[in-house]
Amino acid sequence: MIVIPRLARNLAFTFLLSLGLLVTAGATWAAAPSNLGQGLLYCRVHALPADLPAADTGKSALVLDLRYTMTDDTGATAFSAWLGFRTAAQPVLILINAGTGPALLRALAMRPQPSGVVALGPPLPAFTPDVPLKISPDTERRAYDAFDHGTAIESLTIEKIDKPRYDEASMVKDHASDSEQPAPDDADDAGVKPDAAKAKPAPPPQLIDLALQRAVQLHRALLALQKIPRA
């Protein structure tokens, strides 16, 4: 019988424990997070623990998207362990919805307070997020899928405002057109004016991921109020 010295046993146990925690916490090289600017990263989780971000993302604030993420107790344990490795100096903004697995919702409900974790999403029977949101499930699903199909994250979070240019030349032109009498033969045989025939249909409204947009706005507000350090 080989007797292993106590120190060697302790070192071996510590090594195996550390290795187990790393594996449990999903120390894998998942897809690189998207950059939302001003020290905020975005990571979408499809599977646990494989999609959990690397440890070096702890230097930045993070939006962790757990919408439509289903997992078992093992994956939820990995998620809880990963949260424990992060520093509270930078927040973790977690997106949830009715498609988030019950095990993950239980892990969020049991997180220590304060933990630097803020959950955003619609109120659910089993979980009330820190920032409740009222979002159409259909719109949220379409915006979520759009990112997976290659839509730039900026177009899903930054609303485009089409402000027409109205300078002095435009004012003169409008004034002249208002002063002129319409020509009697200004319409075609069908009674449709040429300008009406050339009118283009209005483009569809921009698809916005409201939950992700709200997370970005919250981060910007925390920065402006100097509640969190700049990464």
Side-chain angles (χ1 to χ4, degrees), residues 4-225:
I4 302 177
R6 179 178 297 178
L7 178 60
R9 291 201 306 270
N10 290 342
L11 290 174
F13 176 79
T14 302
F15 172 77
L16 291 175
L17 178 61
S18 301
L19 182 61
L21 285 175
L22 288 174
V23 172
T24 302
T28 60
W29 284 263
S34 300
N35 192 341
L36 291 168
Q38 301 189 40
L40 181 63
L41 301 178
Y42 171 74
C43 179
R44 175 166 292 187
V45 176
H46 292 290
L48 287 165
D51 291 340
L52 286 173
D56 59 0
T57 59
K59 300 176 182 178
S60 303
L62 180 70
V63 178
L64 191 69
D65 198 339
L66 296 182
R67 294 174 295 178
Y68 314 106
T69 305
M70 298 298 295
T71 189
D72 54 14
D73 290 338
T74 301
T77 300
F79 167 65
S80 296
W82 178 87
L83 281 180
F85 291 144
R86 289 195 49 100
T87 173
Q90 293 291 351
V92 181
L93 310 176
I94 299 181
L95 306 184
I96 60 99
N97 64 6
T100 304
L104 290 174
L105 295 178
R106 288 195 297 269
L108 278 175
M110 296 174 61
R111 72 188 187 276
Q113 298 291 344
S115 61
V117 174
V118 180
L120 302 90
L124 303 173
F127 182 76
T128 300
D130 303 295
V131 180
L133 304 175
K134 186 176 181 180
I135 303 175
S136 164
D138 177 66
T139 301
E140 182 174 41
R141 183 77 223 201
R142 289 191 295 113
Y144 181 92
D145 291 341
F147 178 77
D148 279 339
H149 289 95
T151 301
I153 198 167
E154 292 82 4
S155 69
L156 294 171
T157 56
I158 302 175
E159 296 185 52
K160 299 177 181 177
I161 301 177
D162 295 328
K163 185 176 181 181
R165 183 181 177 185
Y166 202 73
D167 53 17
E168 185 177 355
S170 299
M171 295 175 63
V172 172
K173 182 178 178 181
D174 289 346
H175 178 71
S177 62
D178 291 339
S179 302
E180 295 175 357
Q181 294 294 327
D185 56 347
D186 198 23
D188 58 15
D189 295 337
V192 179
K193 293 185 178 182
D195 290 343
K198 296 178 182 179
K200 296 181 180 179
Q206 182 183 356
L207 186 60
I208 294 292
D209 190 331
L210 296 176
L212 180 54
Q213 184 188 59
R214 184 60 59 85
V216 174
Q217 292 171 347
L218 176 59
H219 173 259
R220 304 298 191 255
L222 292 173
L223 282 179
L225 296 172

